[in-house]
């Protein structure tokens, strides 16, 4: 059971919710979370967690986390998250994105524990936990200056421009672009371009576009190229990935 919507107070962010009922847990394995160039702040029921930018698939185990209730039924794991657009995470969290690459870290490992306890209590008591996460991020973004140059880099790569073209447009050498991309996105522009291209192709396929056409429209050489990238970044064949979704 998964749902998402555009954030109302944080530009480019997405609010998402996921709850895994016991029946779904028994019939399916771990949930496959693909790289998307984003960083997430997640309410897990027991606290706040930060998910760094992924370079590979992350498997989430949704086994019940709460004791069995009346009738012996245990509740599935439940999450509320705020997915921050590429480049926004470091402004919210106050540290370079590459320090959290492929990581899942409790927020109190990054910020003072007393401050995090206050935030956890605030989110726990909020009538709308997603809105509370948005308020947290919006407050941090007001205090941290944006970087229009790296926003333009992310937009160019998302649109399918080449790394060389994006570097020229930003007035940076490819080495300079790589260094700044590590801090903003967690990895270099070539990796970000691969991740965003795969997401672009999957959106088309899930929208009904045949894989061969989606591959061509997303910038792959052919469908075989897309299939290789799916295996490299998702860890399974395209048919398996689509069946899971």
């Amino acid at each position: 059971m998964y749902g998402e919507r555009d954030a109302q107070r944080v530009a480019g962010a997405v609010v998402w919710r996921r709850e895994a009922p016991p029946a779904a847990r028994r019939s399916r394995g771990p949930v496959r979370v693909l790289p998307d160039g984003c960083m997430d702040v997640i309410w897990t029921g027991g606290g706040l967690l930060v998910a760094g930018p992924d370079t590979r698939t992350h498997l989430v185990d949704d086994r019940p986390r709460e004791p069995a209730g009346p009738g012996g039924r245990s509740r599935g794991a439940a999450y509320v998250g705020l997915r921050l657009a590429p480049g926004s995470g470091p402004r919210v969290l106050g540290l370079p994105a590459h320090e959290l690459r492929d990581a899942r870290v409790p927020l109190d490992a990054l910020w003072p524990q007393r401050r995090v306890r206050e935030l956890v209590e605030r989110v726990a008591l909020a009538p709308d936990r997603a809105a509370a996460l948005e308020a947290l991020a919006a407050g941090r973004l007001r205090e941290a200056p944006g970087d229009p140059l790296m926003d333009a880099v992310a937009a160019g790569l998302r649109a399918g421009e080449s790394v060389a073209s994006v570097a020229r447009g930003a007035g940076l050498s490819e080495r300079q672009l790589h260094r700044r991309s590590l801090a903003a996105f967690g990895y270099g522009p070539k990796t970000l371009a691969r991740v965003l291209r795969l997401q672009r192709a999957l959106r088309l396929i899930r929208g009904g576009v045949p894989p061969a056409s989606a591959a061509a429209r997303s910038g792959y050489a052919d469908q075989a190229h897309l299939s290789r990238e799916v295996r490299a970044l998702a860890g399974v064949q395209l048919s398996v990935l689509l069946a899971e979704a």
Side-chain angles (χ1 to χ4, degrees):
M1 295 169 58
Y2 176 85
E4 65 179 42
R5 63 167 174 80
D6 291 339
Q8 297 174 349
R9 300 182 58 184
V10 182
V14 171
V15 168
W16 57 268
R17 302 172 187 268
R18 175 172 172 77
E19 182 171 354
R25 176 187 63 81
R26 288 194 295 268
S27 63
R28 297 187 180 184
V31 176
R32 192 179 304 277
V33 180
L34 301 185
D36 57 11
C38 299
M39 300 173 69
D40 294 61
V41 179
I42 305 169
W43 167 259
T44 65
L48 291 168
L49 178 73
V50 174
D54 291 329
T55 60
R56 59 182 181 272
T57 287
H58 181 76
L59 297 177
V60 177
D61 189 347
D62 282 329
R63 287 177 298 181
R65 304 301 191 205
E66 300 180 18
R73 296 182 62 190
S74 57
R75 295 179 60 186
Y79 309 90
V80 179
L82 180 66
R83 184 182 306 129
L84 299 162
S88 296
R91 295 174 58 203
V92 171
L93 298 169
L95 74 167
H98 65 80
E99 294 188 14
L100 293 170
R101 183 171 52 230
D102 291 318
R104 302 294 184 271
V105 182
L107 186 59
D108 60 11
L110 307 176
W111 290 2
Q113 293 186 0
R114 180 177 178 181
R115 169 64 171 153
V116 175
R117 283 197 300 270
E118 294 173 352
L119 292 172
V120 168
E121 182 176 3
R122 185 183 307 168
V123 176
L125 296 176
D128 184 342
R129 288 170 178 161
L133 291 179
E134 284 196 61
L136 164 62
R140 296 282 296 184
L141 289 170
R142 283 195 298 269
E143 299 171 359
D147 188 342
L149 187 62
M150 298 314 290
D151 290 344
V153 166
L157 295 175
R158 188 180 294 110
E161 295 182 34
S162 69
V163 172
S165 173
V166 167
R168 285 194 301 271
L172 300 172
S173 68
E174 291 194 32
R175 178 176 297 182
Q176 290 172 322
L177 177 60
H178 183 84
R179 183 175 64 251
R180 294 188 60 168
S181 293
L182 289 178
F185 312 127
Y187 26 67
K190 291 183 180 179
T191 298
L192 180 60
R194 288 180 66 200
V195 166
L196 295 178
R197 181 175 59 182
L198 178 60
Q199 290 289 339
R200 198 159 59 243
L202 291 176
R203 281 194 298 272
L204 289 171
I205 293 171
R206 288 165 178 159
V209 177
S213 298
R217 289 170 57 178
S218 300
Y220 292 98
D222 49 31
Q223 185 175 342
H225 184 196
L226 168 61
S227 296
R228 290 194 298 271
E229 284 291 271
V230 169
R231 286 195 296 270
L233 293 173
V236 293
Q237 294 181 345
L238 177 60
S239 59
V240 174
L241 182 63
L242 296 176
E244 289 179 345

